[in-house]
Amino acid sequence: MGHPRVAGVGLTHFGKHPERTTRDMFAEAGLTALDDAGVDTDDIEGVFYGNFIGEVSEDQGHMGPISAEALGIDAPATRIESACASSGVAVREAIKNVRSGESDAVIVGGAERMNNLGTAETTASLALAADDLYEVRVGITFPGAYALMADAYFEEYGGSREDLAHIAQKNHENAVDNEFAQFQYEIDIDDALDAPPVAEPLHLYDACPVTDGAAAAVIVSEEYAEDNDLDIPVRVTGSGQGSDNLALQDREYLTQTPAATNAADEAFDDAAIGPDDVDVAEVHDCFTIAEVLALESMGIFDHGDGINAARRGDTLPEGDIPVNLSGGLKAKGHPVGATGAAQIAEMTRLLRGDHHNSEYVSDASVGITHNAGGTVASTVVHVLEVDQ
Amino acid sequence: MGHPRVAGVGLTHFGKHPERTTRDMFAEAGLTALDDAGVDTDDIEGVFYGNFIGEVSEDQGHMGPISAEALGIDAPATRIESACASSGVAVREAIKNVRSGESDAVIVGGAERMNNLGTAETTASLALAADDLYEVRVGITFPGAYALMADAYFEEYGGSREDLAHIAQKNHENAVDNEFAQFQYEIDIDDALDAPPVAEPLHLYDACPVTDGAAAAVIVSEEYAEDNDLDIPVRVTGSGQGSDNLALQDREYLTQTPAATNAADEAFDDAAIGPDDVDVAEVHDCFTIAEVLALESMGIFDHGDGINAARRGDTLPEGDIPVNLSGGLKAKGHPVGATGAAQIAEMTRLLRGDHHNSEYVSDASVGITHNAGGTVASTVVHVLEVDQ
């Protein structure tokens, strides 16, 4: 059996849309994806939907059926919640469904509504991704947790706020022409260094924003594509998932993320490639330090060297391996439950040539996506490939 | 490839355990299942976990990693939320994972903690399974929704509160010797008829209780069982899932549940059986009327006839097709996110002969489980078989 294909993708604008419901946003993203794919809703045999905090932001659980209804699809619908990796895990379930022959065509995506909450409520609901008993009750917030990881990294490997600022600068620059991005403006190193602290050593431009938005992708089998004369260049050749203890205190290291390493190892094995084969990556940069840990966890850079990559130029658009050409979570935005599917959408467009930054990867044949939940307690890695 | 096997199952006591966390209860159920299976935790390649209202009852999302950690398992862990069908859908994902060859051994289960909430909070959190925009805001509660369905049923097909009381009486009697059940006592028809109303025509004994508890099952491939010399009699031969519009107002009928029909059709096709082949069933009787709708939706009884089944004796332990020999949600209890996996646990023990009510099904070779979310907007049906 051939590899599943990404037949079409869709995104809403990522930004502040407190007046839009998740079902409204998912309808836009999902119908865009179906239209992009040229696949009829009647052919869709399953819906996989990621959402994180609907219970808090919309008093709504049981969103699987709503996600199908929003698209006019009569098929089994499953909601996955894995914090910031919710729709990444949903993508994995969708891929497995097509790979196993269970379905020929499915739609996967996610949506999140966050800006209708106040700041305290938003911080509290994001903390649902951390361990309530062992972290949240003693005062850990997500910026605080990633600040601990950044501090530990600086202590173990060296590095500075200025190194991290280069990552923020890169990702903001990448988003300037991204019509879907929350922040379409550049920043310079001094902007980042002079910004107010969020949790030392992380300052404002080290953190992704609070974002509303939705993303979707239509996944079909190779056979479906052939039977329907669809010319679909992007294949999903690898998928991997890893989990770790939820609380940071229960981990062996603060500076390594084995859930991501396990996910990447599985995905690379699955695709029969190695990290050296990767041409372009979208990784989970909820904080600048998270981009460093992501790249190192997957073996793209050695431990201790990931923090130099942006400054050195390796991960810039013109570099050896452009990272977060979408703008990443940092500048594109992070509607939590939509992010994993959005990475698939961005990577698909990058590889097939209709992304605003496709010019930088016109020779690329292998792209990866890395979507992490919490402080990387859940991670999903996917490998997408096109022929060159 | 052969059918996945249910290698082992585990349950906690179902009841009022407000002081126990879900992770604590899932550890008990999961370790019991692993012990029952004789499968080592190191062999487990995936964890699928159902939970509904953890965000409200324990300020905890992102429970996938916690569920794996609770069992000392280092494997990808995925949390599924599909309201009252959460762990039923998780079972389906686990089955698919083993069937596709993705994993040889996985554990699936669920847990719910509800009695630490006050009554108003419990009602509000259960309402997360209904449509917030179109049902909850106009005053629908779950007892109210099922009361509307019961009223419509009476109007369309006839039937009475006394017919429903026979279902409650049966399920209470079935639970008397179930050490895991919340209510181990009998009721008579007058108890049910004289009980205070919850939402007319449904009274207290028409409704399942608010329950804390956990359930788990270890699912392995036939090859794994053979390679490890495990003699596992119970096979999962069929799996089906269906979804419907979440809000009752968006359905064509109040008296039929097509999501369950679609799930059953798929599961029966999958197992190459029909409803006439079913020997024993565990169905989602969150209210007595729900047992009627469940049996009719799957073609076990004709529309309009399901309400007579208990009174006539067909679904009693000595009847043609015993239903809810565990006591059902009605008397065994309904820890929402655990219920689908608990049905698998009960059916496995019924079929392999170590259930307190196995004597009634000693010749049974085909059992089905029916787990529904919300007002049957999500349904999962599984077929379990043993050789006789």
Side-chain angles (χ1 to χ4, degrees):
Chain A
M1 186 174 295
H3 295 293
R5 306 285 167 131
V6 186
V9 297
L11 293 165
T12 64
H13 182 257
F14 281 16
K16 292 192 178 186
H17 303 292
E19 77 292 354
R20 295 190 70 177
T21 59
T22 52
R23 68 183 86 187
D24 165 36
M25 293 188 285
F26 184 65
E28 179 186 337
L31 294 174
T32 302
L34 286 160
D35 186 56
D36 184 39
V39 168
D40 196 84
T41 52
D42 291 344
D43 285 354
I44 299 293
E45 297 174 76
V47 182
F48 296 88
Y49 182 74
N51 173 268
F52 177 34
I53 59 159
E55 285 81 0
V56 179
S57 66
E58 295 187 326
D59 291 324
Q60 187 66 65
H62 205 186
M63 287 182 160
I66 293 180
S67 69
E69 194 177 352
L71 304 178
I73 289 173
D74 180 18
T78 299
R79 182 253 183 131
I80 309 274
E81 183 277 309
S82 194
C84 319
S86 293
S87 62
V89 178
V91 167
R92 180 166 158 81
E93 292 299 319
I95 297 292
K96 286 199 287 193
N97 233 54
V98 171
R99 268 197 173 177
S100 68
E102 177 85 24
S103 305
D104 283 319
V106 300
I107 190 163
V108 58
E112 204 76 58
R113 183 182 186 185
M114 307 178 70
N115 281 292
N116 62 326
L117 300 176
T119 303
E121 247 183 328
T122 304
T123 302
S125 57
L126 288 171
L128 293 168
D131 195 310
D132 181 63
L133 294 184
Y134 302 125
E135 294 183 306
V136 182
R137 292 187 186 204
V138 292
I140 282 269
T141 61
F142 265 91
Y146 275 95
L148 289 172
M149 295 162 91
D151 260 341
Y153 187 98
F154 288 167
E155 190 173 318
E156 185 164 349
Y157 299 116
S160 68
R161 287 192 52 224
E162 194 169 339
D163 296 322
L164 296 180
H166 280 268
I167 296 169
Q169 183 188 38
K170 164 179 73 70
N171 292 350
H172 267 269
E173 190 170 336
N174 286 345
V176 166
D177 293 324
N178 187 347
E179 61 180 312
F180 303 106
Q182 186 159 2
F183 299 141
Q184 287 187 266
Y185 60 83
E186 295 186 29
I187 61 165
D188 61 29
I189 299 298
D190 284 338
D191 290 331
L193 292 178
D194 297 342
V198 175
E200 288 288 359
L202 303 176
H203 287 231
L204 188 63
Y205 286 112
D206 291 300
C208 68
V210 173
T211 311
D212 309 303
V218 176
I219 311 288
V220 303
S221 65
E222 189 179 35
E223 294 69 20
Y224 179 92
E226 281 169 10
D227 291 348
N228 290 276
D229 290 324
L230 297 174
D231 179 25
I232 308 173
V234 179
R235 307 184 296 277
V236 183
T237 59
S239 174
Q241 183 181 0
S243 293
D244 201 348
N245 295 332
L246 198 60
L248 279 180
Q249 65 174 24
D250 294 327
R251 314 253 184 98
E252 197 170 349
Y253 306 101
L254 287 181
T255 56
Q256 294 186 26
T257 54
T261 302
N262 291 341
D265 285 351
E266 184 185 359
F268 290 157
D269 280 355
D270 200 20
I273 64 165
D276 293 345
D277 297 311
V278 176
D279 297 314
V280 54
E282 289 282 316
V283 307
H284 197 93
D285 60 326
C286 49
F287 296 91
T288 47
I289 186 67
E291 178 167 315
V292 176
L293 296 173
L295 294 170
E296 293 182 2
S297 70
M298 299 189 289
I300 307 287
F301 293 96
D302 291 337
H303 290 294
D305 188 43
I307 199 163
N308 306 312
R311 190 171 195 162
R312 203 164 50 210
D314 295 349
T315 54
L316 295 183
E318 307 83 359
D320 282 347
I321 174 167
V323 172
N324 287 327
L325 281 170
S326 66
L329 284 59
K330 173 67 211 79
K332 179 172 187 250
H334 180 27
V336 175
T339 287
Q343 291 176 325
I344 298 292
E346 297 279 355
M347 185 56 72
T348 296
R349 294 176 58 235
L350 280 164
L351 291 177
R352 73 188 188 188
D354 61 329
H355 191 277
H356 72 280
N357 276 330
S358 282
E359 64 184 294
Y360 298 110
V361 288
S362 54
D363 295 333
S365 57
V366 178
I368 60 169
T369 61
H370 161 288
N371 181 209
T375 47
V376 202
S378 300
T379 311
V380 182
V381 172
H382 281 105
V383 180
L384 277 61
E385 296 191 50
V386 290
D387 293 325
Q388 284 296 352
Chain B
M1 186 174 297
H3 296 293
R5 306 284 167 130
V6 186
V9 297
L11 293 166
T12 64
H13 181 257
F14 281 16
K16 291 192 177 187
H17 304 293
E19 77 291 356
R20 296 190 70 178
T21 59
T22 52
R23 68 182 86 186
D24 166 35
M25 293 187 284
F26 184 65
E28 179 187 336
L31 294 174
T32 302
L34 286 160
D35 186 54
D36 185 40
V39 168
D40 196 86
T41 51
D42 291 345
D43 284 355
I44 299 293
E45 298 174 76
V47 183
F48 295 87
Y49 181 75
N51 173 269
F52 178 33
I53 58 159
E55 285 79 1
V56 179
S57 67
E58 296 188 321
D59 291 325
Q60 187 67 66
H62 205 187
M63 287 182 159
I66 292 179
S67 70
E69 192 176 354
L71 304 178
I73 289 171
D74 179 19
T78 299
R79 182 253 184 132
I80 309 275
E81 184 279 308
S82 194
C84 318
S86 293
S87 61
V89 179
V91 167
R92 182 167 157 80
E93 292 300 318
I95 298 292
K96 288 197 288 192
N97 232 54
V98 170
R99 269 197 172 176
S100 67
E102 177 84 23
S103 306
D104 283 318
V106 301
I107 190 163
V108 59
E112 205 75 58
R113 184 182 186 185
M114 307 178 71
N115 281 291
N116 61 326
L117 301 176
T119 303
E121 246 182 331
T122 304
T123 302
S125 57
L126 288 170
L128 293 168
D131 195 309
D132 182 63
L133 293 184
Y134 301 123
E135 295 183 308
V136 182
R137 291 187 186 205
V138 292
I140 283 269
T141 61
F142 265 90
Y146 274 96
L148 289 172
M149 295 163 90
D151 261 340
Y153 188 97
F154 289 167
E155 189 174 317
E156 186 163 350
Y157 299 116
S160 67
R161 285 190 54 223
E162 195 169 338
D163 296 321
L164 296 179
H166 280 268
I167 297 169
Q169 184 187 36
K170 164 180 72 71
N171 291 350
H172 267 268
E173 191 170 335
N174 286 344
V176 166
D177 293 324
N178 188 347
E179 62 180 310
F180 303 107
Q182 186 160 2
F183 299 141
Q184 286 187 266
Y185 60 84
E186 295 186 28
I187 61 166
D188 62 28
I189 299 298
D190 283 339
D191 289 333
L193 292 177
D194 297 342
V198 175
E200 287 289 2
L202 303 176
H203 288 230
L204 188 63
Y205 286 111
D206 291 301
C208 68
V210 173
T211 311
D212 309 302
V218 176
I219 312 287
V220 304
S221 66
E222 189 178 34
E223 294 70 21
Y224 179 93
E226 283 169 8
D227 292 348
N228 290 275
D229 289 325
L230 299 174
D231 179 24
I232 308 174
V234 180
R235 308 184 296 276
V236 184
T237 59
S239 174
Q241 183 181 359
S243 293
D244 202 346
N245 295 331
L246 198 59
L248 280 179
Q249 65 173 22
D250 294 328
R251 313 252 184 99
E252 196 169 351
Y253 307 100
L254 287 180
T255 57
Q256 295 185 28
T257 54
T261 302
N262 291 341
D265 286 351
E266 184 184 359
F268 290 157
D269 280 355
D270 200 19
I273 65 165
D276 293 345
D277 298 311
V278 175
D279 297 313
V280 54
E282 289 282 316
V283 308
H284 197 94
D285 60 326
C286 50
F287 297 92
T288 47
I289 186 68
E291 178 166 315
V292 176
L293 297 172
L295 293 170
E296 294 182 1
S297 69
M298 298 189 290
I300 307 287
F301 294 96
D302 291 337
H303 290 292
D305 189 42
I307 198 162
N308 306 311
R311 191 169 193 164
R312 202 164 50 209
D314 296 348
T315 53
L316 295 184
E318 307 82 359
D320 283 347
I321 174 167
V323 172
N324 287 329
L325 282 170
S326 66
L329 285 60
K330 173 67 210 78
K332 181 174 186 248
H334 181 28
V336 174
T339 287
Q343 291 177 323
I344 298 292
E346 298 279 355
M347 185 56 71
T348 296
R349 294 177 56 236
L350 280 164
L351 291 177
R352 73 186 187 188
D354 61 330
H355 191 275
H356 72 281
N357 276 330
S358 282
E359 62 183 295
Y360 297 110
V361 288
S362 54
D363 295 332
S365 57
V366 178
I368 59 169
T369 61
H370 160 286
N371 180 210
T375 48
V376 202
S378 300
T379 311
V380 182
V381 172
H382 282 104
V383 180
L384 276 61
E385 296 191 50
V386 289
D387 292 326
Q388 283 296 349

